[in-house]
Amino acid sequence: AGGIKLREDIHNAHGYQFLVQFALILSSSLKVNLVDSKSASMNSNNSGGSHASGMIEQTFSASPLQSQILPSLSWLLDLMVNLAQTGPVEITSVGDIAPKSSNSKIPGHQRQFSLEKIKDRRERGSNQVKDLEAVQMLQDIFLKAEDVYLQAEVLDRMLKIFSSHVDNYKICQQLRVIPLFVLNMAEFPALLQEKILKILEYAVTVVNYVPEQELLSLCCLLQQPIETELKHSILSFFVKLLSFDQQYKNVLREVGLLELLLDDIKQHKYLCGVEHQNANFSVEQSVPFSRSLTIRKDDSDAILSSPRIGGPASGKFRVFEDEGTITVAWDCLIALLKKSEANQSTFRMSSGVTLILPFLTSDTQRSGVLRLLSCLIMEDVQQ
């Protein structure tokens, strides 16, 4: 009861907004201290020449201090997790749980069993999210923070919330927190990208939740000029999903992955007969399917709310052109088609076989084409 009263007091006094600002101030103060420490070290060793200065800067950049956050900031994040899980617990009466009997008096052993069952339900429900506004505050900290390690800590706390109760991920879907993070993954460093995909993997494998919104966001990312490493991570994640559960063959087709891969092949420079392609593709070329994303964006400081087409030259290579993603792109396409009559039918109706045949003359593509053709031929014979 005391925890609920404290939460209500914080809420009524607009304390959540204060906690967000306080967390950002604590993070900024640590950053300032690190910069001051760096400046002091460089000044004290200035007489050592440019080589010594470079060594100091290199040492500082690898310093473990950068991977730490203040203990008070860590406690503050833990407080937000506790506030998110604080609220009234639904109490079930003994009569609702105990076996019905014509005798109104409950035997002692049945009463003991019922009380234990109530206690068990209370314990399991105690970690359920009861205050979405506290989760929203964690999202605000993540979006506004300039410290990647603070953002990583926030993601760790969110995974802690999701893993503490099987329903928490579904409950938090009302906020569209993870879809927003996924859509903006290109803006984040690899450390955060890995953690976001880990949360998605948890939702799929443990919660048994089908994150269609998040998968659609990942498909949108593949059409943007993102780094090779992120493309590879996304495609590898799709391959993992396809091997985990057969239903994702249909789910990923519905969110447009099969159509996206086919469009990627159609736009390949090998088929277009040119050596180089302009990175600024038209929207019709870059987006093979039209689906809208409903992302919660109440704060003007949120990073992005929709996918961006076009960008730097680093994104001009598509997944079947980029040497770092060619193999995993074929793996993903084959996994989509394997043991899926619906996907194979879509592939054939889109002239997929005709599209991939010219790639047999390409040293980098031949292996993938042969594996795909082998899959189609073997399963066609079996059918």
Side-chain angles (χ1 to χ4, degrees), residues 17-289:
Q17 288 76 14
F18 169 77
L19 291 177
V20 171
Q21 294 302 319
F22 186 45
L24 296 175
I25 291 172
L26 288 176
S27 176
S28 299
S29 65
L30 177 61
K31 186 176 180 180
V32 170
N33 290 336
L34 288 174
V35 172
D36 291 342
S37 299
K38 177 183 177 182
S39 300
S41 298
M42 292 181 67
N43 291 334
S44 63
N45 292 275
N46 191 36
S47 59
S50 59
H51 176 71
S53 177
M55 290 294 291
I56 293 170
E57 186 170 354
Q58 183 178 3
T59 302
F60 177 81
S61 64
S63 173
L65 287 175
Q66 283 189 296
S67 63
Q68 297 178 356
I69 63 173
L70 293 172
S72 55
L73 184 52
S74 179
W75 297 334
L76 182 57
L77 296 178
D78 289 335
L79 172 63
M80 290 190 175
V81 172
N82 292 333
L83 289 172
Q85 298 173 336
T86 301
V89 180
E90 182 179 350
I91 301 177
T92 308
S93 65
V94 175
D96 292 336
I97 299 177
K100 293 183 179 180
S101 173
S102 58
N103 188 353
S104 59
K105 188 175 181 180
I106 303 176
H109 69 281
Q110 290 186 3
R111 185 185 299 109
Q112 180 67 24
F113 170 79
S114 300
L115 291 174
E116 290 177 356
K117 199 165 185 179
I118 291 176
K119 183 179 179 181
D120 179 63
R121 287 191 178 185
R122 282 180 174 176
E123 290 177 352
R124 284 188 285 113
S126 63
N127 292 328
Q128 191 172 13
V129 169
K130 303 175 184 68
D131 188 357
L132 284 173
E133 189 172 355
V135 180
Q136 179 70 49
M137 294 305 102
L138 286 172
Q139 173 185 310
D140 291 345
I141 292 174
F142 181 88
L143 293 175
K144 295 177 180 179
E146 297 180 356
D147 182 5
V148 64
Y149 298 106
L150 172 57
Q151 292 176 308
E153 289 289 334
V154 171
L155 290 178
D156 288 342
R157 296 311 191 282
M158 286 193 166
L159 182 57
K160 180 179 180 181
I161 290 175
F162 297 148
S163 60
S164 61
H165 194 282
V166 70
D167 292 331
N168 281 350
Y169 191 90
K170 299 175 184 177
I171 293 173
C172 293
Q173 277 297 96
Q174 300 176 45
L175 300 176
R176 297 290 189 266
V177 177
I178 303 304
L180 177 60
F181 290 173
V182 170
L183 192 61
N184 297 311
M185 278 176 62
E187 304 294 322
F188 305 144
L191 172 65
L192 302 183
Q193 294 170 359
E194 181 182 351
K195 287 182 178 293
I196 292 172
L197 289 177
K198 183 179 180 181
I199 291 176
L200 265 185
E201 184 177 345
Y202 171 83
V204 170
T205 58
V206 179
V207 182
N208 199 25
Y209 178 79
V210 180
E212 293 186 8
Q213 195 81 48
E214 292 86 335
L215 297 178
L216 179 56
S217 297
L218 289 176
C219 286
C220 289
L221 273 179
L222 284 178
Q223 300 168 87
Q224 299 181 41
I226 59 178
E227 296 295 329
T228 298
E229 291 76 12
L230 181 54
K231 289 181 185 178
H232 190 281
S233 297
I234 293 173
L235 291 170
S236 298
F237 179 72
F238 286 152
V239 173
K240 186 180 296 185
L241 289 185
L242 291 166
S243 64
F244 172 74
D245 194 327
Q246 292 291 314
Q247 70 170 321
Y248 283 97
K249 295 182 185 292
N250 295 327
V251 172
L252 290 174
R253 183 187 71 248
E254 291 171 359
V255 299
L257 179 60
L258 179 56
E259 194 173 354
L260 185 153
L261 293 175
L262 283 169
D263 182 76
D264 194 282
I265 293 175
K266 291 176 184 177
Q267 301 297 328
H268 196 285
K269 64 182 181 181
Y270 198 80
L271 295 182
C272 295
V274 294
E275 290 299 322
H276 301 284
Q277 283 185 309
N278 195 318
N280 297 320
F281 297 109
S282 65
V283 174
E284 290 77 15
Q285 289 175 315
S286 298
V287 186
F289 56 99

